[in-house]
Amino acid sequence: MPCPREEAVVFGRGAGLLAGAVVVALIVLVGPSTPSGGLFGGSPPADAVRDAVPNRVMTWNICNPCDVSNEDRAADIARYAPQVIGMQETCVRDVEKIRNYLRGRYGLVYHVEYGTVLQSWGRCGGVPWNPGGFGQAILSIAPMKDHVNVEYPDGGSEDRGYMAVTTTVGGKSTRVFNTHLAHRRQEEFRAEQIGVLTAEVRKYARAIVLGDFNAVPESPELTKMWALASDADPECGPSATGVCEVTTDWQSKFDYVFLRGFVPLEQHVNPTGNSDHHLVRTDLKPT
């Protein structure tokens, strides 16, 4: 008869074997699915694009704070697979996770630059002495250089700014801007912010300006922007009579792809359950 200690060893070994068998069974049943091929990530959407679409750019306010998974955000981006995407209301940690999902699950390998305007524990988590960075981000299949991050002198009720990078679009070196302007009822702040932004945009004959401008096309504060660039939606302009496709859940056009030195081939606005802003994507070519 085995002694009590031997019984314990035998029991422990048996329990370990049983636990191992259960884990193996779970892996077989559930299957690998995290960005690195691990457990619990699910299968990619059937309509996800497997390669980035050349010369496709996108702007998307991903909504923050919102109870949305980064896995679902990545699936939205992968469905259209832009070459360049500018995102607003981003937390650095969220973008890192989105980027990992895009690489591991969809094979979309993006470079990333950040346009952090504030450190926010409330929005982005972290710990009080190391809160998450909040602001904008640009993801690009092609490498980026000459990154700048500018905070507007007065953001209104919340810090706001723009970021810019130089990358290759349509085979041409292109300056890409990404911005988020002051809240809807803060026209005077947006007017000042547009002045700062356009002073930099006008330096480039070939530029793409992405962002959430928090203003409808006929808003007076957008006048300087319209003087420099055209919207990728060919039917949309500064006149109130223009036919501009709405880009938000509250039926307003706030999100823009402004072009200098490019012409749009196709523009699409795609609602999503993962944000109160729609995904705005444009296929374009240099003039």
Side-chain angles (χ1 to χ4, degrees):
M1 173 180 289
C3 69
R5 183 173 179 273
E6 290 173 329
E7 288 179 336
V9 170
V10 171
F11 177 80
R13 185 181 301 129
L17 290 172
L18 177 60
V22 170
V23 170
V24 170
L26 281 172
I27 292 174
V28 170
L29 289 171
V30 178
S33 49
T34 61
S36 59
L39 197 59
F40 303 130
S43 299
D47 58 347
V49 179
R50 306 306 297 187
D51 297 303
V53 179
N55 310 327
R56 174 173 291 175
V57 299
M58 179 186 291
T59 184
W60 190 25
N61 183 319
I62 66 172
C63 185
N64 184 305
C66 286
D67 186 18
V68 176
S69 77
N70 291 311
E71 181 180 355
D72 290 339
R73 287 167 169 156
D76 272 345
I77 295 170
R79 185 165 288 115
Y80 308 109
Q83 179 186 339
V84 175
I85 177 171
M87 293 188 288
Q88 305 87 42
E89 293 195 8
T90 64
C91 295
V92 170
R93 293 183 181 95
D94 287 334
V95 175
E96 289 173 347
K97 292 175 183 177
I98 292 168
R99 186 185 179 208
N100 287 340
Y101 277 117
L102 289 167
R103 179 177 61 242
R105 181 166 299 167
Y106 304 103
L108 295 167
V109 181
Y110 286 97
H111 302 270
V112 63
E113 294 288 358
Y114 295 99
T116 297
V117 293
L118 62 95
Q119 301 295 322
S120 176
W121 179 84
R123 281 186 180 266
C124 296
V127 291
W129 56 90
N130 184 27
F134 176 78
Q136 289 77 246
I138 293 176
L139 273 62
S140 172
I141 293 294
M144 295 177 281
K145 62 180 182 180
D146 301 330
H147 168 230
V148 299
N149 184 39
V150 177
E151 187 171 337
Y152 293 127
D154 196 333
S157 57
E158 182 177 73
D159 293 353
R160 295 293 163 93
Y162 77 83
M163 61 180 299
V165 300
T166 297
T167 188
T168 302
V169 181
K172 304 289 186 180
S173 178
T174 303
R175 196 65 170 163
V176 179
F177 295 81
N178 183 21
T179 191
H180 188 192
L181 300 189
H183 284 139
R184 280 176 279 177
R185 296 176 181 86
Q186 300 179 5
E187 295 86 352
E188 68 278 14
F189 296 104
R190 289 198 300 274
E192 294 177 4
Q193 292 162 7
I194 286 284
V196 173
L197 177 63
T198 54
E200 189 66 20
V201 173
R202 70 167 49 95
K203 297 177 182 179
Y204 300 90
R206 192 164 42 250
I208 300 170
V209 185
L210 310 169
D212 173 5
F213 284 70
N214 269 321
V216 295
E218 63 270 21
S219 299
E221 63 268 26
L222 293 188
T223 301
K224 289 182 178 180
M225 194 72 237
W226 287 116
L228 285 181
S230 58
D231 187 38
D233 180 352
E235 302 298 321
C236 186
S239 170
T241 60
V243 181
C244 301
E245 193 168 0
V246 300
T247 66
T248 66
D249 286 353
W250 51 92
Q251 302 302 302
S252 295
K253 178 178 171 68
F254 279 1
D255 305 272
Y256 296 82
V257 177
F258 282 113
L259 303 175
R260 279 171 64 85
F262 287 89
V263 293
L265 300 177
E266 290 186 33
Q267 161 102 346
H268 296 278
V269 178
N270 300 102
T272 171
N274 295 315
S275 176
D276 53 356
H277 287 252
H278 308 337
L279 297 94
V280 181
R281 59 186 171 94
T282 302
D283 296 340
L284 45 76
K285 69 174 183 179
T287 54

